[in-house]
Amino acid sequence: MTELTKTLELKLVDPNAHKREKLRETRAAYQQALQEAFDANCSTLGEANDIVGDYHLSGYAKNALKRYVPQLTTTYGANELSDDHPVRFTNEGVKIDHKPENTIKWYVKIPHHEDYHLWVPAQPNPEQRDWLEAVIAGDADVGEGRLLKRKDTWYFHLIATRDIPLNSEVPAEERTPIGVDIGEASLVTVCHRDEHGSPTNPELWTDEGKTVRRLRKRYFTTMRRLQSRESERIADTFGDELWAQIDDILHTVTREVVEYAESVEAPVLVLEDLTYIQESMDYGDYMNRRLHGWGFAKLHAQITYKAVERGIPVATVDPRNTSQECHACGEGGTRPQQATFKCSNDACWIEEYQADINAALNIADRYLSGESRSREHENGDDSAEDGASLTGPQDSQADAETQQATLGMYAS
Ligand SMILES: [Zn+2]
């Protein structure tokens, strides 16, 4: 068995004026409290508690905030706060209900303040209905809830965790790690080592990378032009179509990555851990481009769930410097061109190597060197493995444009 965590996305359906007002109040109070606790640099639950106490918020939102701020200030070392944080609620305050006999079949309970909550009808992401049913049946554990707003639409995200059986019972340390690099020159690159330790059978999705880049570029240029002419409706339709094309490519590539893994005996797919990258605001340009430009989190999420659904385990490793170290000697190197890694160690037999394959091998090697992190994070939250950050509005400001683009798919 392995645990799979997913962010379940629900769009709130036409809340009436009263409910909208309550949602707005909750969001405003939460963001104010968050800003105050962050500005005060609260690094413990107790410190955050002293600040949020006076705010007009439910205990569920306060408790979630108290846990979240110390993570921001210490673990992630964030140095600024984006102004678009979702309102978080601890799992005790969140509930969903299913009424199959109604036109709108799903309802979300959203805490407002102490003894007051709202039930709001919601439309789930159609691909996630089985997950919601698992939640209703008690087969999935519910984590944090998040309330967010994009343009004039409200969304509710629910973190859920489920056990999925694994086909093979090969012990973790006897598996063959397949490194998955999500990059720029190539959309995705996979590689592993054969039984003698030699790099073997690399596969690169370079053309797909080019296509996605081209579509994205077209998307942003056209959107800017259309929006400046105030033809927002046309812009939205156009954007949805382009984004659907990108999404198709991502789905095809991630399916092929999982097929690659199936061709290897006792595989484990190894990806970079997003937990710390995602919220760290000062990770540098290269990482930001990868994260936000490529739908990194989305690829990551798709590979994870497609693999797990096929019984292939997935592990994540520390992402630091995977593209700057030499897979042969471990020394640092340079990237004279985007697709080329050059080892700086004179004694190393490698002079130049395909950069994405080098990174994929480093990622694979970290699985066995014990730099692997457990996929199951504390509280099961803050993980972008499920694609939360790109399938819906999320915390980080830098990917706002990508989010809006992706959101179109599901918001319509
Ligand atoms: Zn080297």
Side-chain angles (χ1 to χ4, degrees):
M1 296 285 253
T2 189
E3 270 189 352
L4 189 57
T5 296
K6 216 172 213 180
T7 300
L8 309 184
E9 307 156 320
L10 296 122
K11 180 169 90 169
L12 305 187
V13 182
D14 302 330
N16 62 30
H18 167 75
K19 285 180 181 174
R20 280 202 307 275
E21 182 53 32
K22 296 294 163 204
L23 294 175
R24 264 198 298 272
E25 285 171 15
T26 295
R27 182 170 180 256
Y30 182 90
Q31 291 189 345
Q32 226 178 329
L34 180 67
Q35 188 72 54
E36 193 186 335
F38 183 79
D39 290 343
N41 203 22
C42 296
S43 57
T44 63
L45 209 132
E47 286 170 18
N49 189 41
D50 293 342
I51 287 183
V52 300
D54 293 337
Y55 279 89
H56 210 45
L57 280 169
S58 86
Y60 307 115
K62 286 181 185 172
N63 286 337
L65 193 151
K66 285 185 266 182
R67 281 201 325 223
Y68 182 51
V69 172
Q71 289 178 28
L72 276 177
T73 53
T74 57
T75 315
Y76 302 131
N79 47 26
E80 58 180 306
L81 196 60
S82 86
D83 51 10
D84 196 23
H85 273 268
V87 181
R88 291 161 186 252
F89 303 98
T90 53
N91 62 343
E92 302 91 343
V94 174
K95 235 177 143 166
I96 56 168
D97 197 9
H98 190 205
K99 296 200 185 304
E101 68 279 13
N102 292 4
T103 322
I104 292 168
K105 298 174 171 31
W106 296 93
Y107 296 83
V108 194
K109 179 185 162 188
I110 301 170
H112 179 48
H113 46 76
E114 282 321 326
D115 299 316
Y116 186 73
H117 60 258
L118 311 161
W119 277 100
V120 187
Q123 204 72 56
N125 177 340
E127 288 174 13
Q128 298 179 332
R129 283 203 189 111
D130 62 319
W131 273 75
L132 287 169
E133 276 156 17
V135 169
I136 296 284
D139 294 335
D141 291 333
V142 174
E144 224 174 52
R146 293 171 193 173
L147 171 70
L148 25 106
K149 189 182 180 208
R150 183 64 69 217
K151 288 186 189 164
D152 290 325
T153 308
W154 291 90
Y155 295 84
F156 198 80
H157 287 181
L158 188 63
I159 313 291
T161 305
R162 235 170 135 186
D163 278 333
I164 309 266
L166 280 181
N167 289 339
S168 165
E169 290 308 323
V170 178
E173 66 280 8
E174 287 169 26
R175 293 187 168 273
T176 301
I178 297 167
V180 181
D181 179 62
I182 298 171
E184 297 213 349
S186 164
L187 187 57
V188 178
T189 303
V190 294
C191 194
H192 66 287
R193 292 176 186 269
D194 64 15
E195 61 274 31
H196 311 293
S198 306
T200 183
N201 200 14
E203 194 165 338
L204 294 91
W205 284 265
T206 309
D207 291 345
E208 289 83 353
K210 278 186 200 138
T211 311
V212 170
R213 253 199 314 258
R214 184 172 51 74
L215 289 170
R216 272 193 79 246
K217 202 169 161 221
R218 204 164 131 219
Y219 175 84
F220 288 115
T221 353
T222 317
M223 286 302 260
R224 251 192 305 274
R225 210 179 61 222
L226 288 173
Q227 275 164 352
S228 66
R229 285 193 209 144
E230 291 175 18
S231 27
E232 285 214 9
R233 203 174 46 81
I234 302 172
D236 284 349
T237 316
F238 174 79
D240 289 354
E241 277 168 22
L242 275 189
W243 210 261
Q245 286 180 44
I246 293 177
D247 203 49
D248 271 356
I249 297 171
L250 302 191
H251 274 294
T252 307
V253 171
T254 51
R255 201 186 59 234
E256 288 170 0
V257 168
V258 174
E259 284 166 9
Y260 176 102
E262 284 179 314
S263 73
V264 175
E265 201 184 336
V268 49
L269 278 166
V270 188
L271 295 150
E272 292 173 295
D273 192 323
L274 284 177
T275 320
Y276 292 86
I277 303 177
Q278 190 196 5
E279 310 248 5
S280 164
M281 309 286 179
D282 54 358
Y283 213 90
D285 278 354
Y286 175 68
M287 204 43 107
N288 280 332
R289 276 206 316 277
R290 289 176 73 198
L291 267 178
H292 308 302
W294 278 111
F296 187 91
K298 203 168 167 101
L299 285 162
H300 202 285
Q302 289 183 5
I303 291 168
T304 303
Y305 84 75
K306 286 175 189 180
V308 171
E309 279 171 1
R310 303 256 198 134
I312 295 170
V314 176
T316 54
V317 296
D318 191 332
R320 231 160 275 263
N321 296 331
T322 49
S323 62
Q324 279 112 42
E325 281 172 12
C326 172
H327 73 273
C329 70
E331 294 286 309
T334 56
R335 301 272 294 267
Q337 283 108 38
Q338 197 181 46
T340 308
F341 173 84
K342 200 166 182 294
C343 181
S344 317
N345 176 7
D346 291 337
C348 178
W349 67 271
I350 278 180
E351 199 179 328
E352 286 192 347
Y353 210 82
Q354 209 289 338
D356 296 308
I357 301 174
N358 180 63
L361 286 165
N362 283 332
I363 292 166
D365 291 349
R366 284 185 193 188
Y367 174 77
L368 290 176
S369 69
E371 288 183 64
S372 139
R373 281 189 220 277
S374 162
R375 269 195 359 83
E376 294 123 39
H377 308 294
E378 232 181 305
N379 309 324
D381 65 3
D382 293 316
S383 149
E385 282 162 7
D386 46 21
S389 71
L390 293 179
T391 49
Q394 253 268 342
D395 309 20
S396 150
Q397 53 203 353
D399 56 353
E401 55 168 17
T402 318
Q403 282 163 9
Q404 285 186 2
T406 343
L407 196 69
M409 291 190 317
Y410 158 58
S412 54

